[in-house]
Amino acid sequence: MITAAQLREFVSALCAEEEYEPVEGRWVFHSGGSCCCCTDSAMKVANAFGGRVVGYYSSNNKSASIGGDRCEGHDFAIIGDRFIVDYWAFRIAGLADRPVFDLNKLEEREKAELLFGREDNWRDVFVWSGGGPGNVTV
């Protein structure tokens, strides 16, 4: 059984592998992918824990505080149909006070709904093999 502590530890490991790539002028993960792309970090979490990547277009999820006028949409990981894991909202955007939300805990579920909107607005994100930025469909 996966625990919130394991997920937080994984996010800490992602933070430890951030490095600045001077040629392109961006922050990347040492293991590949952009730190500033929510989909890239969500894929890392989902792949490591057998979860899935979900997301929404901001125009279809007015109940979410992440998105809106700032971006077209947002993606994050769901693990065990219980945990939301969002490195990007926590580490990069500073929009979440934690990287892991346990949907079985009422207080955390309520916080998650404020950030990510209602679950019925989320859609599975499919990433093509050999993906990378730009190879994502919602």
Side-chain angles (χ1 to χ4, degrees), residues 38-130:
C38 58
T39 308
D40 287 1
S41 58
M43 287 185 334
K44 288 181 175 297
V45 173
N47 287 338
F49 292 95
R52 60 195 176 104
V53 177
V54 301
Y56 52 85
Y57 288 111
S58 296
S59 60
N60 296 337
N61 192 4
K62 301 291 186 192
S63 62
S65 64
I66 296 176
D69 296 338
R70 293 182 298 257
C71 60
E72 186 177 317
H74 184 57
D75 300 329
F76 49 94
I78 299 286
I79 306 299
D81 291 324
R82 175 179 176 177
F83 298 104
I84 289 177
V85 184
D86 195 336
Y87 157 92
W88 182 88
F90 172 71
R91 177 73 169 183
I92 301 301
L95 298 170
D97 65 353
R98 68 191 77 189
V100 178
F101 294 86
D102 185 342
L103 298 178
N104 286 351
K105 295 182 177 179
L106 181 60
E107 178 185 331
E108 292 187 35
R109 176 179 277 285
E110 289 172 346
K111 271 191 166 188
E113 188 168 317
L114 289 173
L115 292 170
F116 307 103
R118 293 188 321 270
E119 192 171 343
D120 60 345
N121 290 323
W122 306 343
R123 300 292 177 260
D124 286 319
V125 174
F126 300 97
V127 181
W128 302 335
S129 277

Coordinates of all heavy atoms in Angstrom, one line a residue, residues 38-130:
C38 N 3.9 20.9 -16.0 CA 3.2 20.1 -15.0 C 3.0 18.7 -15.4 O 3.0 17.7 -14.6 CB 1.8 20.8 -14.7 SG 0.7 21.0 -16.1
T39 N 2.9 18.5 -16.7 CA 2.7 17.1 -17.3 C 3.9 16.3 -17.1 O 3.8 15.1 -16.7 CB 2.3 17.2 -18.8 OG1 1.2 18.1 -18.9 CG2 1.9 15.8 -19.3
D40 N 5.1 16.8 -17.2 CA 6.3 16.0 -17.1 C 6.5 15.5 -15.7 O 6.8 14.3 -15.5 CB 7.5 16.9 -17.4 CG 7.7 17.2 -18.9 OD1 6.8 16.7 -19.7 OD2 8.6 17.8 -19.3
S41 N 6.2 16.3 -14.7 CA 6.4 15.8 -13.3 C 5.2 14.9 -13.0 O 5.5 13.9 -12.3 CB 6.4 17.0 -12.3 OG 5.3 17.8 -12.4
A42 N 4.0 15.1 -13.4 CA 2.9 14.2 -13.2 C 3.2 12.8 -13.8 O 2.9 11.8 -13.2 CB 1.6 14.8 -13.7
M43 N 3.8 12.8 -15.0 CA 4.1 11.5 -15.6 C 5.1 10.7 -14.8 O 5.0 9.5 -14.6 CB 4.7 11.7 -17.0 CG 3.6 12.1 -18.0 SD 4.2 12.3 -19.7 CE 5.9 12.6 -19.6
K44 N 6.1 11.4 -14.2 CA 7.2 10.8 -13.4 C 6.5 10.1 -12.2 O 6.8 9.0 -11.8 CB 8.2 11.8 -13.0 CG 9.1 12.2 -14.1 CD 10.2 13.2 -13.6 CE 11.2 13.5 -14.7 NZ 11.9 12.4 -15.2
V45 N 5.6 10.9 -11.5 CA 5.0 10.3 -10.3 C 4.1 9.1 -10.7 O 4.1 8.1 -10.1 CB 4.1 11.4 -9.6 CG1 3.3 10.8 -8.5 CG2 5.0 12.6 -9.1
A46 N 3.2 9.3 -11.7 CA 2.3 8.2 -12.1 C 3.1 7.0 -12.6 O 2.7 5.9 -12.2 CB 1.4 8.7 -13.3
N47 N 4.2 7.2 -13.3 CA 5.0 6.0 -13.7 C 5.6 5.3 -12.5 O 5.7 4.1 -12.5 CB 6.0 6.4 -14.7 CG 5.4 6.7 -16.1 OD1 4.3 6.3 -16.4 ND2 6.2 7.5 -16.9
A48 N 6.1 6.0 -11.6 CA 6.8 5.4 -10.4 C 5.8 4.7 -9.5 O 6.3 3.7 -8.9 CB 7.5 6.5 -9.6
F49 N 4.6 5.1 -9.5 CA 3.6 4.5 -8.5 C 2.4 3.8 -9.1 O 1.5 3.5 -8.5 CB 3.2 5.6 -7.5 CG 4.3 6.0 -6.6 CD1 5.0 7.2 -6.9 CD2 4.6 5.3 -5.5 CE1 6.0 7.6 -6.1 CE2 5.6 5.8 -4.6 CZ 6.3 6.9 -4.9
G50 N 2.5 3.6 -10.4 CA 1.4 2.9 -11.1 C 0.1 3.7 -11.1 O -1.0 3.1 -11.0
G51 N 0.2 5.0 -11.2 CA -1.0 5.9 -11.1 C -1.3 6.3 -12.5 O -1.0 5.7 -13.5
R52 N -2.0 7.4 -12.6 CA -2.4 8.0 -13.8 C -2.3 9.5 -13.8 O -2.3 10.1 -12.7 CB -3.9 7.6 -14.2 CG -4.9 8.0 -13.2 CD -6.2 7.3 -13.5 NE -7.2 7.6 -12.5 CZ -8.2 8.4 -12.6 NH1 -8.5 8.9 -13.8 NH2 -9.0 8.7 -11.7
V53 N -2.2 10.1 -15.0 CA -2.1 11.6 -15.1 C -3.5 12.0 -15.5 O -4.1 11.5 -16.4 CB -1.1 12.0 -16.1 CG1 -1.1 13.5 -16.3 CG2 0.3 11.5 -15.8
V54 N -4.0 13.0 -14.8 CA -5.3 13.6 -15.1 C -5.1 15.1 -15.2 O -4.1 15.7 -14.8 CB -6.4 13.3 -14.1 CG1 -6.7 11.8 -13.9 CG2 -6.1 13.9 -12.7
G55 N -6.0 15.8 -15.9 CA -5.9 17.2 -16.0 C -7.2 17.8 -16.5 O -8.3 17.1 -16.6
Y56 N -7.2 19.1 -16.8 CA -8.3 19.8 -17.3 C -7.9 21.0 -18.1 O -6.8 21.5 -17.9 CB -9.2 20.2 -16.1 CG -8.5 21.0 -15.1 CD1 -8.3 22.4 -15.2 CD2 -8.0 20.3 -13.9 CE1 -7.6 23.1 -14.2 CE2 -7.3 21.0 -12.9 CZ -7.1 22.4 -13.1 OH -6.5 23.1 -12.1
Y57 N -8.8 21.4 -19.0 CA -8.6 22.7 -19.6 C -9.3 23.7 -18.7 O -10.4 23.5 -18.2 CB -9.3 22.8 -21.0 CG -8.5 22.0 -22.0 CD1 -9.1 20.8 -22.5 CD2 -7.3 22.4 -22.5 CE1 -8.4 20.0 -23.5 CE2 -6.6 21.6 -23.4 CZ -7.2 20.5 -23.9 OH -6.5 19.7 -24.9
S58 N -8.6 24.9 -18.5 CA -9.1 25.9 -17.6 C -10.5 26.3 -18.0 O -11.4 26.6 -17.1 CB -8.2 27.1 -17.5 OG -7.0 26.7 -17.0
S59 N -10.8 26.4 -19.3 CA -12.1 26.9 -19.7 C -13.2 25.9 -19.4 O -14.4 26.3 -19.3 CB -12.1 27.1 -21.2 OG -11.7 25.9 -21.9
N60 N -12.8 24.6 -19.1 CA -13.8 23.6 -18.7 C -13.9 23.3 -17.2 O -14.6 22.5 -16.8 CB -13.5 22.3 -19.4 CG -13.6 22.4 -20.9 OD1 -14.3 23.2 -21.5 ND2 -12.9 21.5 -21.6
N61 N -13.1 24.1 -16.5 CA -13.0 23.8 -15.0 C -12.9 25.1 -14.3 O -11.9 25.4 -13.7 CB -11.9 22.9 -14.7 CG -11.9 22.4 -13.3 OD1 -12.8 22.6 -12.5 ND2 -10.8 21.6 -12.9
K62 N -14.0 25.9 -14.3 CA -14.0 27.2 -13.7 C -13.9 27.1 -12.2 O -13.6 28.1 -11.5 CB -15.3 28.0 -14.1 CG -15.4 28.2 -15.5 CD -14.4 29.2 -16.1 CE -14.7 29.5 -17.5 NZ -13.6 30.2 -18.2
S63 N -14.2 25.9 -11.6 CA -14.1 25.7 -10.1 C -12.7 25.6 -9.6 O -12.5 25.6 -8.4 CB -15.0 24.5 -9.7 OG -14.5 23.3 -10.3
A64 N -11.7 25.5 -10.5 CA -10.3 25.3 -10.1 C -9.6 26.6 -10.0 O -9.8 27.5 -10.8 CB -9.6 24.4 -11.1
S65 N -8.8 26.8 -8.9 CA -8.1 28.0 -8.8 C -6.7 27.9 -9.5 O -6.1 29.0 -9.8 CB -7.8 28.4 -7.3 OG -7.0 27.4 -6.7
I66 N -6.3 26.7 -9.8 CA -5.1 26.6 -10.7 C -5.5 26.6 -12.1 O -6.3 25.8 -12.5 CB -4.3 25.3 -10.4 CG1 -3.8 25.3 -8.9 CG2 -3.2 25.1 -11.3 CD1 -3.1 24.0 -8.5
G67 N -5.0 27.5 -12.8 CA -5.4 27.7 -14.2 C -6.0 29.1 -14.5 O -5.3 30.0 -14.3
G68 N -7.2 29.1 -14.9 CA -7.8 30.4 -15.2 C -7.1 31.2 -16.3 O -6.7 30.6 -17.3
D69 N -6.9 32.4 -16.0 CA -6.2 33.3 -17.0 C -4.7 33.0 -17.1 O -4.1 33.4 -18.1 CB -6.4 34.8 -16.7 CG -7.9 35.2 -16.7 OD1 -8.7 34.5 -17.4 OD2 -8.2 36.2 -16.1
R70 N -4.2 32.3 -16.2 CA -2.7 32.1 -16.1 C -2.2 31.0 -17.1 O -1.1 31.0 -17.5 CB -2.2 31.8 -14.7 CG -2.4 32.9 -13.8 CD -1.9 32.5 -12.4 NE -2.6 31.4 -11.8 CZ -3.5 31.6 -10.9 NH1 -3.8 32.7 -10.4 NH2 -4.2 30.5 -10.4
C71 N -3.1 30.0 -17.4 CA -2.6 28.9 -18.3 C -3.8 28.3 -18.9 O -5.0 28.4 -18.4 CB -1.7 27.9 -17.5 SG -2.5 27.1 -16.1
E72 N -3.6 27.5 -19.9 CA -4.6 26.8 -20.7 C -5.3 25.7 -19.9 O -6.4 25.4 -20.1 CB -4.0 26.3 -22.0 CG -5.1 25.7 -22.9 CD -4.4 25.3 -24.2 OE1 -3.6 26.0 -24.8 OE2 -4.8 24.2 -24.7
G73 N -4.5 25.1 -19.1 CA -5.0 23.9 -18.3 C -3.9 23.5 -17.3 O -2.9 24.1 -17.1
H74 N -4.2 22.3 -16.6 CA -3.3 21.8 -15.6 C -3.4 20.3 -15.6 O -4.5 19.8 -15.7 CB -3.6 22.5 -14.3 CG -2.6 22.0 -13.2 ND1 -1.2 22.2 -13.3 CD2 -2.8 21.4 -12.0 CE1 -0.6 21.8 -12.2 NE2 -1.6 21.3 -11.4
D75 N -2.2 19.6 -15.4 CA -2.2 18.2 -15.2 C -1.5 17.8 -13.9 O -0.6 18.6 -13.4 CB -1.4 17.5 -16.3 CG -2.0 17.8 -17.7 OD1 -3.2 18.0 -17.8 OD2 -1.2 17.9 -18.7
F76 N -1.9 16.7 -13.3 CA -1.3 16.2 -12.0 C -1.5 14.7 -12.0 O -2.2 14.1 -12.8 CB -2.0 17.0 -10.8 CG -3.5 17.0 -10.9 CD1 -4.2 16.0 -10.2 CD2 -4.1 18.0 -11.6 CE1 -5.6 16.0 -10.3 CE2 -5.5 18.0 -11.6 CZ -6.3 17.0 -11.0
A77 N -0.9 14.1 -11.0 CA -1.0 12.6 -10.8 C -2.0 12.2 -9.8 O -2.2 12.9 -8.8 CB 0.4 12.1 -10.4
I78 N -2.7 11.1 -10.1 CA -3.6 10.5 -9.1 C -3.0 9.1 -8.9 O -2.7 8.3 -9.8 CB -5.0 10.3 -9.7 CG1 -5.7 11.6 -10.1 CG2 -5.9 9.5 -8.8 CD1 -6.1 12.4 -8.9
I79 N -2.8 8.8 -7.6 CA -2.2 7.5 -7.2 C -3.2 6.8 -6.3 O -3.7 7.3 -5.3 CB -0.9 7.8 -6.4 CG1 0.1 8.7 -7.2 CG2 -0.2 6.4 -6.0 CD1 0.5 8.1 -8.6
G80 N -3.4 5.5 -6.7 CA -4.3 4.7 -5.9 C -5.7 5.2 -5.8 O -6.4 4.9 -4.8
D81 N -6.2 6.0 -6.7 CA -7.5 6.6 -6.6 C -7.7 7.3 -5.3 O -8.8 7.4 -4.8 CB -8.6 5.6 -6.9 CG -8.6 5.1 -8.3 OD1 -8.3 6.0 -9.2 OD2 -8.9 3.9 -8.6
R82 N -6.6 7.7 -4.7 CA -6.7 8.3 -3.3 C -5.9 9.6 -3.2 O -6.3 10.5 -2.5 CB -6.2 7.3 -2.3 CG -6.2 7.8 -0.9 CD -5.7 6.8 0.1 NE -5.6 7.4 1.4 CZ -5.3 6.7 2.5 NH1 -5.0 5.5 2.4 NH2 -5.2 7.4 3.6
F83 N -4.7 9.6 -3.8 CA -3.8 10.7 -3.6 C -3.6 11.6 -4.9 O -3.5 11.0 -5.9 CB -2.4 10.2 -3.2 CG -2.3 9.5 -1.9 CD1 -2.2 8.1 -1.9 CD2 -2.3 10.1 -0.7 CE1 -2.1 7.4 -0.8 CE2 -2.3 9.4 0.5 CZ -2.2 8.0 0.5
I84 N -3.7 12.9 -4.7 CA -3.3 13.8 -5.7 C -1.9 14.2 -5.4 O -1.5 14.5 -4.3 CB -4.2 15.1 -5.7 CG1 -5.6 14.8 -6.2 CG2 -3.5 16.2 -6.6 CD1 -6.5 16.0 -6.2
V85 N -1.0 14.1 -6.4 CA 0.4 14.5 -6.3 C 0.7 15.5 -7.3 O 0.5 15.3 -8.5 CB 1.4 13.3 -6.4 CG1 2.8 13.7 -6.1 CG2 1.0 12.1 -5.5
D86 N 1.1 16.7 -6.9 CA 1.4 17.8 -7.8 C 2.7 18.5 -7.4 O 2.7 19.5 -6.6 CB 0.2 18.7 -7.8 CG 0.2 19.7 -9.0 OD1 1.3 19.9 -9.5 OD2 -0.8 20.2 -9.4
Y87 N 3.8 18.0 -7.9 CA 5.1 18.7 -7.8 C 5.0 20.1 -8.3 O 5.5 21.1 -7.6 CB 6.1 17.9 -8.5 CG 7.4 18.7 -8.9 CD1 8.5 18.7 -8.1 CD2 7.4 19.4 -10.1 CE1 9.6 19.4 -8.4 CE2 8.6 20.1 -10.5 CZ 9.6 20.1 -9.6 OH 10.8 20.8 -10.0
W88 N 4.5 20.3 -9.4 CA 4.5 21.7 -10.1 C 3.7 22.7 -9.3 O 4.3 23.8 -9.0 CB 3.8 21.5 -11.5 CG 3.9 22.8 -12.2 CD1 4.8 23.3 -13.1 CD2 2.8 23.8 -12.2 NE1 4.5 24.5 -13.6 CE2 3.3 24.9 -13.1 CE3 1.6 23.9 -11.6 CZ2 2.5 26.0 -13.3 CZ3 0.8 25.1 -11.9 CH2 1.3 26.1 -12.7
A89 N 2.5 22.4 -8.8 CA 1.8 23.4 -8.0 C 2.4 23.7 -6.7 O 2.4 24.9 -6.2 CB 0.3 22.9 -7.8
F90 N 3.1 22.8 -6.2 CA 3.8 23.0 -4.9 C 5.2 23.6 -5.1 O 5.4 24.7 -4.5 CB 4.0 21.6 -4.2 CG 4.9 21.6 -3.0 CD1 4.5 22.2 -1.8 CD2 6.2 21.1 -3.0 CE1 5.3 22.2 -0.7 CE2 7.0 21.1 -1.9 CZ 6.5 21.7 -0.7
R91 N 6.0 23.1 -5.9 CA 7.4 23.6 -6.0 C 7.6 24.7 -7.0 O 8.3 25.7 -6.7 CB 8.3 22.4 -6.5 CG 9.7 22.7 -6.7 CD 10.4 22.9 -5.4 NE 11.9 22.9 -5.7 CZ 12.8 23.0 -4.8 NH1 12.4 23.1 -3.5 NH2 14.1 23.0 -5.1
I92 N 7.0 24.7 -8.1 CA 7.2 25.7 -9.2 C 6.3 26.9 -9.0 O 6.8 28.0 -9.0 CB 7.1 25.0 -10.6 CG1 8.1 23.9 -10.8 CG2 7.3 26.1 -11.7 CD1 9.5 24.2 -10.6
A93 N 5.0 26.6 -9.0 CA 4.1 27.7 -9.0 C 3.8 28.3 -7.6 O 3.3 29.4 -7.4 CB 2.7 27.3 -9.6
G94 N 4.1 27.5 -6.5 CA 3.8 27.9 -5.2 C 2.3 28.1 -4.9 O 2.0 28.9 -4.0
L95 N 1.5 27.4 -5.6 CA 0.0 27.5 -5.4 C -0.5 26.6 -4.4 O -1.6 26.8 -3.9 CB -0.7 27.3 -6.7 CG -0.3 28.3 -7.8 CD1 -0.9 27.8 -9.2 CD2 -0.8 29.7 -7.5
A96 N 0.2 25.5 -4.0 CA -0.2 24.5 -3.1 C 0.7 24.5 -1.9 O 2.0 24.6 -2.1 CB -0.3 23.1 -3.7
D97 N 0.2 24.3 -0.7 CA 1.1 24.3 0.5 C 1.7 23.0 0.8 O 2.4 22.8 1.7 CB 0.3 24.8 1.7 CG -0.9 23.9 2.1 OD1 -1.2 22.9 1.4 OD2 -1.5 24.2 3.2
R98 N 1.4 22.0 -0.1 CA 1.9 20.6 0.0 C 1.9 20.0 -1.3 O 1.0 20.4 -2.2 CB 1.1 19.8 1.0 CG -0.4 19.6 0.5 CD -1.3 19.0 1.6 NE -1.7 20.1 2.4 CZ -2.4 20.0 3.5 NH1 -2.8 18.8 3.9 NH2 -2.7 21.1 4.2
P99 N 2.7 19.0 -1.6 CA 2.7 18.3 -2.9 C 1.7 17.1 -2.9 O 1.4 16.6 -4.0 CB 4.1 17.8 -3.0 CG 4.6 17.5 -1.6 CD 3.9 18.6 -0.8
V100 N 1.2 16.6 -1.8 CA 0.4 15.5 -1.7 C -0.9 15.8 -1.0 O -0.9 16.3 0.1 CB 1.1 14.3 -1.1 CG1 0.2 13.0 -1.0 CG2 2.4 14.0 -1.8
F101 N -2.0 15.4 -1.6 CA -3.4 15.5 -1.0 C -4.0 14.2 -0.8 O -4.1 13.4 -1.9 CB -4.3 16.5 -1.8 CG -3.8 17.9 -1.8 CD1 -2.8 18.3 -2.8 CD2 -4.2 18.8 -0.9 CE1 -2.4 19.5 -2.8 CE2 -3.7 20.1 -1.0 CZ -2.8 20.5 -1.9
D102 N -4.4 13.8 0.4 CA -5.1 12.5 0.6 C -6.6 12.8 0.5 O -7.2 13.4 1.3 CB -4.7 12.0 2.0 CG -5.3 10.6 2.3 OD1 -6.2 10.2 1.6 OD2 -4.8 10.0 3.2
L103 N -7.2 12.3 -0.6 CA -8.6 12.5 -0.8 C -9.5 11.7 0.2 O -10.7 12.0 0.2 CB -9.0 12.1 -2.3 CG -8.3 13.0 -3.3 CD1 -8.6 12.5 -4.7 CD2 -8.6 14.4 -3.2
N104 N -9.0 10.8 1.0 CA -9.7 10.2 2.0 C -9.9 11.0 3.3 O -10.6 10.6 4.2 CB -9.1 8.8 2.3 CG -9.4 7.8 1.3 OD1 -10.2 8.0 0.3 ND2 -8.7 6.6 1.4
K105 N -9.2 12.1 3.3 CA -9.2 13.0 4.5 C -10.0 14.2 4.1 O -9.6 14.9 3.1 CB -7.8 13.4 5.0 CG -7.0 12.2 5.5 CD -5.7 12.6 6.0 CE -5.0 11.4 6.6 NZ -3.6 11.8 7.1
L106 N -11.1 14.5 4.8 CA -12.0 15.6 4.4 C -11.3 16.9 4.2 O -11.6 17.6 3.2 CB -13.2 15.7 5.4 CG -14.2 16.8 5.1 CD1 -14.9 16.5 3.8 CD2 -15.2 16.8 6.2
E107 N -10.5 17.3 5.1 CA -9.8 18.6 5.0 C -9.0 18.7 3.8 O -9.0 19.7 3.1 CB -9.0 18.9 6.3 CG -8.3 20.2 6.2 CD -7.3 20.4 7.4 OE1 -7.6 19.9 8.5 OE2 -6.3 21.1 7.2
E108 N -8.2 17.7 3.5 CA -7.4 17.7 2.3 C -8.2 17.6 1.0 O -7.8 18.2 0.0 CB -6.3 16.5 2.4 CG -5.3 16.7 3.5 CD -4.2 15.7 3.5 OE1 -3.8 15.3 2.4 OE2 -3.8 15.4 4.6
R109 N -9.3 16.9 1.0 CA -10.2 16.8 -0.1 C -10.7 18.2 -0.4 O -10.8 18.6 -1.6 CB -11.3 15.8 0.1 CG -12.3 15.8 -1.0 CD -13.4 14.8 -0.8 NE -13.1 13.4 -1.2 CZ -13.0 13.0 -2.4 NH1 -13.2 13.8 -3.4 NH2 -12.7 11.7 -2.7
E110 N -11.1 18.9 0.6 CA -11.7 20.2 0.4 C -10.6 21.2 -0.1 O -10.9 22.0 -1.0 CB -12.3 20.8 1.8 CG -13.5 20.1 2.2 CD -14.0 20.4 3.6 OE1 -13.2 21.0 4.3 OE2 -15.2 20.1 3.9
K111 N -9.4 21.1 0.4 CA -8.3 22.0 -0.2 C -8.0 21.6 -1.6 O -7.8 22.5 -2.5 CB -7.0 21.8 0.7 CG -6.9 22.7 1.8 CD -5.5 22.6 2.4 CE -5.3 23.8 3.3 NZ -4.0 23.9 3.8
A112 N -8.0 20.3 -1.9 CA -7.8 19.9 -3.3 C -8.8 20.4 -4.2 O -8.6 20.8 -5.3 CB -7.7 18.3 -3.3
E113 N -10.1 20.3 -3.8 CA -11.2 20.8 -4.7 C -11.0 22.3 -5.0 O -11.3 22.8 -6.1 CB -12.5 20.5 -4.1 CG -13.7 20.8 -5.0 CD -15.0 20.3 -4.7 OE1 -15.1 19.1 -4.2 OE2 -16.0 21.0 -4.8
L114 N -10.6 23.1 -4.0 CA -10.3 24.5 -4.2 C -9.3 24.7 -5.3 O -9.4 25.6 -6.2 CB -9.9 25.2 -3.0 CG -11.0 25.4 -1.9 CD1 -10.4 26.0 -0.6 CD2 -12.1 26.3 -2.4
L115 N -8.2 23.9 -5.2 CA -7.1 24.1 -6.2 C -7.4 23.5 -7.6 O -7.2 24.1 -8.6 CB -5.9 23.4 -5.6 CG -5.2 24.0 -4.4 CD1 -4.2 23.1 -3.8 CD2 -4.6 25.4 -4.8
F116 N -7.9 22.2 -7.6 CA -8.1 21.5 -8.8 C -9.5 21.4 -9.3 O -9.8 20.8 -10.4 CB -7.6 20.0 -8.6 CG -6.2 20.0 -8.0 CD1 -5.9 19.7 -6.7 CD2 -5.1 20.3 -8.9 CE1 -4.7 19.7 -6.2 CE2 -3.8 20.3 -8.3 CZ -3.6 20.0 -7.0
G117 N -10.4 22.0 -8.6 CA -11.8 22.0 -9.1 C -12.5 20.6 -8.8 O -11.9 19.8 -8.1
R118 N -13.7 20.5 -9.3 CA -14.4 19.2 -9.1 C -13.9 18.1 -9.9 O -13.5 18.3 -11.1 CB -15.9 19.5 -9.4 CG -16.6 20.4 -8.4 CD -18.1 20.5 -8.6 NE -18.5 20.5 -10.0 CZ -18.6 21.5 -10.8 NH1 -18.4 22.7 -10.3 NH2 -19.0 21.4 -12.0
E119 N -13.9 16.9 -9.3 CA -13.3 15.7 -10.0 C -14.0 15.4 -11.3 O -13.4 14.9 -12.2 CB -13.4 14.6 -9.0 CG -12.7 13.4 -9.4 CD -12.6 12.3 -8.3 OE1 -12.9 12.6 -7.2 OE2 -12.3 11.1 -8.7
D120 N -15.3 15.8 -11.4 CA -16.0 15.4 -12.7 C -15.5 16.3 -13.9 O -15.9 16.1 -15.0 CB -17.5 15.5 -12.5 CG -18.0 16.9 -12.1 OD1 -17.2 17.7 -11.6 OD2 -19.2 17.1 -12.2
N121 N -14.7 17.3 -13.6 CA -14.1 18.1 -14.6 C -12.7 17.6 -15.1 O -12.1 18.1 -16.0 CB -13.9 19.6 -14.2 CG -15.3 20.3 -14.0 OD1 -16.2 20.0 -14.8 ND2 -15.4 21.1 -13.0
W122 N -12.2 16.6 -14.4 CA -10.8 16.1 -14.7 C -11.0 15.0 -15.8 O -12.0 14.3 -15.9 CB -10.2 15.4 -13.5 CG -10.1 16.3 -12.3 CD1 -10.2 17.6 -12.2 CD2 -9.9 15.8 -11.0 NE1 -10.1 18.0 -10.9 CE2 -9.8 16.9 -10.1 CE3 -9.7 14.6 -10.4 CZ2 -9.6 16.8 -8.8 CZ3 -9.4 14.5 -9.1 CH2 -9.4 15.6 -8.3
R123 N -10.0 14.9 -16.6 CA -9.9 13.9 -17.7 C -8.6 13.2 -17.7 O -7.6 13.9 -17.4 CB -10.1 14.6 -19.1 CG -11.4 15.3 -19.3 CD -12.6 14.3 -19.3 NE -13.9 15.0 -19.4 CZ -14.7 15.3 -18.3 NH1 -14.4 15.0 -17.1 NH2 -15.8 15.9 -18.5
D124 N -8.6 12.0 -18.0 CA -7.3 11.3 -18.2 C -6.5 11.9 -19.3 O -7.0 12.3 -20.3 CB -7.5 9.8 -18.5 CG -8.0 9.0 -17.3 OD1 -7.5 9.2 -16.2 OD2 -8.9 8.1 -17.5
V125 N -5.2 12.0 -19.0 CA -4.2 12.6 -20.0 C -3.5 11.4 -20.6 O -2.9 10.6 -19.9 CB -3.3 13.6 -19.3 CG1 -2.2 14.0 -20.3 CG2 -4.0 14.8 -18.8
F126 N -3.5 11.3 -21.9 CA -2.8 10.3 -22.6 C -1.5 10.9 -23.2 O -1.5 11.9 -23.9 CB -3.6 9.7 -23.7 CG -4.9 9.1 -23.1 CD1 -6.1 9.8 -23.2 CD2 -4.9 7.8 -22.6 CE1 -7.2 9.3 -22.6 CE2 -6.1 7.3 -22.0 CZ -7.2 8.0 -22.1
V127 N -0.4 10.2 -22.9 CA 0.9 10.7 -23.4 C 1.4 9.7 -24.3 O 1.5 8.5 -24.0 CB 1.9 10.9 -22.2 CG1 3.2 11.4 -22.8 CG2 1.3 11.9 -21.2
W128 N 1.7 10.1 -25.5 CA 2.2 9.2 -26.6 C 3.6 8.6 -26.2 O 4.4 9.3 -25.6 CB 2.3 9.8 -27.9 CG 1.0 10.4 -28.4 CD1 -0.3 10.0 -28.0 CD2 0.8 11.5 -29.3 NE1 -1.2 10.7 -28.6 CE2 -0.6 11.7 -29.4 CE3 1.6 12.3 -30.0 CZ2 -1.2 12.6 -30.2 CZ3 1.1 13.3 -30.8 CH2 -0.3 13.4 -30.9
S129 N 3.9 7.4 -26.6 CA 5.2 6.8 -26.3 C 6.3 7.7 -26.8 O 6.2 8.3 -27.9 CB 5.3 5.4 -27.0 OG 4.7 4.4 -26.3
G130 N 7.3 7.8 -26.1 CA 8.4 8.7 -26.4 C 8.1 10.1 -26.3 O 8.7 11.0 -26.8

